Amino acid sequence: MEYLTTTQLMKKAQKAEGKSFKEIDITNRLSNKNSKGGLGQVIEEESLFGYKINSNAKPDFEHLNVELKVTPFKRNKNGKLAAKERLVLNIINYMEEINYTFETSSFWKKNQQMLLMFYEWLPYVNREDLKVFKSVLFTFPESDLEIIKHDWEIITKKIRDGKAHELSEGDTNYLGACSKGANKQSLRFQPNSTTLAMQRAFSLKQSYMTALVRKHLKKDNLVSLTTSGELKKKSLEDILISRFSPYKGLSAKQISENLGVAYKPTGKSFIPLLISSLLGIKGTKLENIEEFSKANIQFKTIRLEPNGKPEQSMSFKNIDFQLWTNEEWENSYIRKTFYETKFLFVIFEFKEKKKDNPNREPYFKGIKLWNMPVTTIENEIKQLWEEVNRLIATGVQIEYKPYGKKLREYNNFPKKNFNGVTHIRPKGQNGEDKVTLPNGQVITKQCYWLNDTYIASLLKDLN
């Protein structure tokens, strides 16, 4: 059937809402349990819209300039909706994409208007019993489009520089360049380099899709810290720098007084409240800031000693050892975290040593928007992942030695001298906060950290 208008197209899509894929699948495509991408095919081919799947550079409904995408969402343990995965768009042709402008790019030609059909993914439910939840005709909001244009420029510049093999989703904010191939041997030629690069596709990040899910399915609204007018003139990073820069050199106490925020330096919510206030959206949780949420920007507070070295190493989540030892490296939680996350470092510095003034105050030094380089992920972070797996397989050495009036636990997990970037050490409420390893050993809860010296090296160029 030819759909003459987007209204006709949406009416057809909306008829599928509430139906299971089994009800829509008139050709029994899903009876083949091994057919990959079957749910999208049921929607795209003869069962609903009646056209053949293709890899054309043009949108699926070319005359309407609409691309069709079938995408899952899930419910988190806290009940909130979230995208189950990123939205993969079109394959990037490294040799050709660098010759386009954004307006003539393969991404924009194919994806400027999309029919998004959301279905709810449920664990332990057969795929044919999953149901279409809602259909949305989506065009990018003006502010989002400005950020996406900048993302596209970052991706194509890296390709033009012969660094397609170093692309990471952490490089960009909303538009990513995700790996797309049968396996890690899916390699392609790239310009200005003899190094083969993993095949990649443009994609909308999982964090961006989560924001769309919550907006269109739950009517949740995020609070924006920018405008499309600002984004036409500056990048998101430049805007953040300009918002923070008036406070450089002030103490945390002075900043809180200027912004009308109660000074509670030991309170967990003090720094987040300070940040939202100086961004002009006082009281907004950082996860509810639109740009942070869509780009998966997570903030970390860093306090530097007078010598420029961080007060301590940077901690992350406690390790789920059951997960750690049952994942392949390419799909591991730690790899995904550093590939997909951008960090906003909010940096303070002390002007006195703690021994000279136990009540010393930190002074704001600046910010840095950072994502871990691919080479570091695939070398030092991978080394840590492999070493932890090796130790659990062979048995972790656990000893208890006197420490004051108590016994202190020691183990042979990688320490700060392991590779100069990362290490493992305890992060429990106390020594009695234990976890059982997959091999049955019981140990204090552990966390992976980035070394203080490594963090210091990242901040050398901070003015």
Side-chain angles (χ1 to χ4, degrees), residues 97 100-105 107-108 112 140-157 172-176 202 204 208 228 231-236:
E97 196 70 22
Y100 302 137
T101 63
F102 178 79
E103 288 71 20
T104 61
S105 67
F107 162 76
W108 188 238
Q112 54 190 281
F140 294 102
E142 193 175 358
S143 292
D144 289 9
L145 188 55
E146 293 302 325
I147 290 174
I148 285 170
K149 285 179 182 178
H150 188 65
D151 289 342
W152 182 87
E153 294 285 354
I154 291 172
I155 293 168
T156 51
K157 183 182 186 306
T172 50
N173 293 303
Y174 298 172
L175 181 69
F202 288 116
L204 294 176
Y208 185 85
S228 59
L231 289 164
K232 286 180 187 294
K233 299 173 184 175
K234 296 180 179 179
S235 69
L236 177 59

Side-chain angles (χ1 to χ4, degrees), residues 77-93:
K77 290 179 181 178
N78 61 7
K80 282 193 172 185
L81 301 188
K84 183 177 180 290
E85 57 200 32
R86 63 175 71 86
L87 183 66
V88 180
L89 303 172
N90 57 297
I91 296 290
I92 303 172
N93 185 319

Side-chain angles (χ1 to χ4, degrees), residues 302-318:
I302 299 173
R303 293 177 174 86
L304 300 178
E305 294 291 349
N307 63 2
K309 185 178 176 181
E311 185 182 24
Q312 59 183 5
S313 296
M314 183 178 288
S315 67
F316 291 83
K317 286 187 176 180
N318 282 347

Side-chain angles (χ1 to χ4, degrees), residues 309 313 414-425 451-453:
K309 185 178 176 181
S313 296
K415 303 296 186 287
K416 282 176 67 176
N417 61 357
F418 175 61
N419 62 17
V421 171
T422 184
H423 66 280
I424 303 286
R425 76 174 197 254
N451 293 6
D452 50 8
T453 49

